[in-house]
Amino acid sequence: MSKIGLPRGLLYYEFAPLWTTFFEALGAEVVVSPKTNKKILDDGTRYCVDDACIPVKVFHGHVLNLKNKVDTLFIPRIMGIHQKEYICPKFCGLPEMIKYSINDLPKMINTKIDYTKKDQSKRTMNQIASYITTNKKTIQKAYQMANQSYTEYKKNQKELLISNNHNIMIMGHPYIIYDDFLNMSIKKKLKKAGLYPVTYDIFDESILNKYALGYHGKIFWLFFRKMIGACLYLIDHKLVDGVIYLSSFGCGIDSVVAETVERNIRRNSQIPFMLITIDEHSGEAGFNTRLEAFIDMLKWRNKDENYLSPYGDYVYSR
Amino acid sequence: MKITFPHMGTTYIPVKMMLDELEVEVVLPPKSNKKTLELGTKYSPEGICVPFKIITGNIIEGIEQGADTVFMLTGCGPCRFGIFHALQNEIIRDMGYEVEFITADRFSNYQGLKEFVDQLKEASSSNHYIKILKTIRKGLKLLNEVDVLHDLGNKIRPKEINKGEVDYLFSHYENEIRKSYGYIEMMEITKSYQEKIKNVSINKSRDCLKVGIVGEIYTIIENYINFNIERKLGNMGVEVIRTTSATEFVREQLDFIPFIRSEKKKIYQAASLYLDIPIGGHAINTIGNIIRGVHNEYDGFVHLLPFTCMPEIVALSILPTIEKEQNVPIMSLVLDEMTGEAGYMTRLEAFVDLIQRRRELKNEGKSFSWY
Ligand code: SF4
Ligand code: SF4
């Protein structure tokens, strides 16, 4: 039985149930690297090009963790998973980044996942499956099971929306907001303070799409669409008491998206906003200080009738 | 309507000419300089690539000089370039300016091209389609001649006998161009300077080192951000080959039209040994052009990229392997608003020394492994 390694990084956080179910149903053993830890980050940083963003470095670390434990690594080349929409050039070149940075790798499955022109999921899954089996029936069944578990996973994310009035929206790439090492367990910290962290995954795609359409520029990035959609929706409905954007230092997408989200929120709403940039040197102490200050401000603001801007550069009342 | 547009090297020449021909009033911002960058940096998100910052600076300077409309190119697929204008629009709006943005979407098919023409028509309502199309053709022609002039300069500069002559001619050329108007005049000036450059007296027997410039297109073409690398290398006696140009960029966009040819296929073919699929931006061109240059016996390559440039970071991770396997020196220079000229020069000089030594050893018949 072949052992397939799934590095716990980047879009693993979006597709874990899909990929795991698929490979298992095909009869492979799936090995997922452990949750990100200091060693994984350090190893990744050592092997990856200096100028890359932290999530890509962490991904390298996960590959290093797995490389001697499995006989195949699943590192697809993800061009885009929706029509006319890309994710990031680094996803397209991920197989090369890994291949030319790490020696003595096991076999890799680098199937191209490209739905930017049309939905090719069936064909793509067939291609991936061919590394393990040629049995059409097994593949067909695995495909169905995988889709089902993914749909379920997405549905469960929606149910997380609890209507209370202490929601804090955490924005950023899934591999930051769901990687508790990178986000320094922000959710736990918020909960401890009596706040309720949510992510844009609680919203229906259709809502995100509808609101993203209201944006004036052409959108051809997946995360831009999701986050600007969520942002405009929040402005409209005021569902949260605050927005925290966790961005990765050196991320080309975040530099645009965070700025756009911030400008829109500040211009059109009174929702407090905070941007925290994460890199491999950011210490937890500094992070905590900023988070606590933000939480204090929210609490104080909720008590008081006079609303104060989190930045202190202008004061307005309601 | 008074229209302004950002700079990228000498591309302002054909763009201004086209707008002149369509009788649109142009506000040409000053060439990118220290103040442009400072201004752009001040109003841009911190983590964005430096092309965005300079372009934002250009736009602000254009508006400060009275422009009420901004013309921006978009496109470029998965990378940030395509979204520049949307964020710049927000930045300008938050600064309190009320200006219109006209964008030319990536014209890689007939539909895109038509939209572009429609935009131009909107900008100059009295113009007919035919006239606009003719003007676009003129634009392409002039763009090409400007690039020819540029490359001539790179060829002649390292061999000139009176140091500085080529640079002197170029500064006069741009002065004259800035004062000129319309196709006929600009074309005449450009052609006459091609002749002048050709007539610069040179040391024919001089055997120059050859260095290819590869990397992200804006940093290659905009010589303010790359500290005039072509001149610097040229004046050190190095023949510089700019592996891409605005002409080639436009051709790559337009090569779905039968009579327009680009080098794209050949470049991709050459790159395929290391990267067999375009991943956005110019990463594949970087790889392909290095391989092509190796075949043409270039002595080395300078790889230019803005800090945080996503596609070029992918290229960056492939380059060490290419250096080793192709046995050729490649130096990557990461550029941003903090890059200091002194450190940059030191690295450039050290690089030229290195390839010079390599060349000498090679001429003596000894091999010199880069690794
Ligand atoms: S989207 Fe940003 S964080 Fe993600 S891989 Fe690309 S540059 Fe890195
Ligand atoms: S290719 Fe690089 S420099 Fe150009 S927009 Fe993308 S990130 Fe910026």
Side-chain angles (χ1 to χ4, degrees), chain B residues 94-337:
Chain B
D94 283 346
M95 286 176 77
Y97 291 117
E98 275 187 35
V99 293
E100 187 89 30
F101 270 70
I102 295 186
T103 53
D105 207 350
R106 76 202 231 112
F107 25 87
S108 50
N109 54 40
Y110 285 103
Q111 178 59 29
L113 205 58
K114 185 173 176 300
E115 278 171 27
F116 177 54
V117 174
D118 285 343
Q119 294 267 17
L120 282 180
K121 200 158 171 344
E122 206 178 291
S124 55
S125 49
S126 61
N127 289 306
H128 297 296
Y129 280 118
I130 307 277
K131 182 166 178 206
I132 293 173
L133 284 176
K134 272 194 181 149
T135 311
I136 292 178
R137 278 194 73 149
K138 285 180 186 165
L140 292 176
K141 266 197 189 147
L142 182 59
L143 178 66
N144 187 40
E145 293 305 329
V146 173
D147 278 337
V148 167
L149 173 66
H150 186 102
D151 292 343
L152 262 175
N154 279 345
K155 250 195 131 50
I156 302 288
R157 194 179 286 116
K159 295 187 175 167
E160 67 190 2
I161 288 168
N162 303 317
K163 280 274 156 232
E165 203 173 337
V166 172
D167 291 350
Y168 175 82
L169 286 172
F170 268 107
S171 66
H172 273 258
Y173 168 66
E174 286 204 46
N175 279 342
E176 276 189 47
I177 277 286
R178 278 195 164 243
K179 286 185 222 126
S180 61
Y181 186 92
Y183 180 71
I184 296 178
E185 200 181 342
M186 285 182 167
M187 199 63 165
E188 241 173 50
I189 296 174
T190 307
K191 290 261 184 191
S192 77
Y193 273 86
Q194 286 177 359
E195 287 312 308
K196 284 185 188 160
I197 299 266
K198 277 185 204 155
N199 289 331
V200 168
S201 49
I202 56 165
N203 178 352
K204 277 207 185 93
S205 60
R206 201 184 156 141
D207 187 19
C208 298
L209 290 167
K210 276 200 206 165
V211 169
I213 310 276
V214 296
E216 188 277 328
I217 186 162
Y218 184 90
T219 32
I220 294 181
I221 294 180
E222 177 52 62
N223 52 30
Y224 171 66
I225 192 60
N226 66 32
F227 299 99
N228 258 315
I229 188 164
E230 291 161 282
R231 284 190 191 188
K232 292 222 160 96
L233 285 172
N235 290 329
M236 290 181 212
V238 174
E239 183 185 335
V240 179
I241 302 102
R242 192 168 66 155
T243 57
T244 196
S245 62
T247 310
E248 172 63 14
F249 176 73
V250 174
R251 282 196 190 133
E252 283 189 9
Q253 304 292 308
L254 290 177
D255 67 2
F256 62 94
I257 301 173
F259 61 85
I260 293 184
R261 275 202 204 106
S262 76
E263 298 281 288
K264 193 157 78 187
K265 274 216 182 94
K266 287 187 201 147
I267 295 171
Y268 288 11
Q269 174 64 33
S272 63
L273 190 56
Y274 296 97
L275 178 70
D276 57 10
I277 188 168
I279 58 154
H282 283 81
I284 194 165
N285 301 59
T286 299
I287 306 291
N289 281 324
I290 289 178
I291 303 300
R292 281 178 17 129
V294 167
H295 293 159
N296 287 321
E297 305 207 330
Y298 294 4
D299 297 275
F301 298 88
V302 177
H303 174 222
L304 298 175
L305 70 155
F307 184 57
T308 79
C309 174
M310 297 173 282
E312 292 304 327
I313 286 173
V314 176
L316 205 54
S317 56
I318 307 177
L319 295 187
T321 309
I322 298 184
E323 272 193 313
K324 212 183 302 176
E325 291 183 1
Q326 306 289 335
N327 191 23
V328 67
I330 305 170
M331 178 170 69
S332 291
L333 293 172
V334 181
L335 300 164
D336 71 3
E337 66 272 20

Side-chain angles (χ1 to χ4, degrees), chain A residues 215 218 220-221 255 263 267, chain B residues 77-78 80 83 90 94 105:
Chain A
Y215 183 68
K218 237 190 197 166
F220 50 81
W221 289 338
S255 65
R263 280 180 187 269
R267 193 187 309 126
Chain B
R80 271 183 275 197
I83 202 82
E90 300 218 21
D94 283 346
D105 207 350

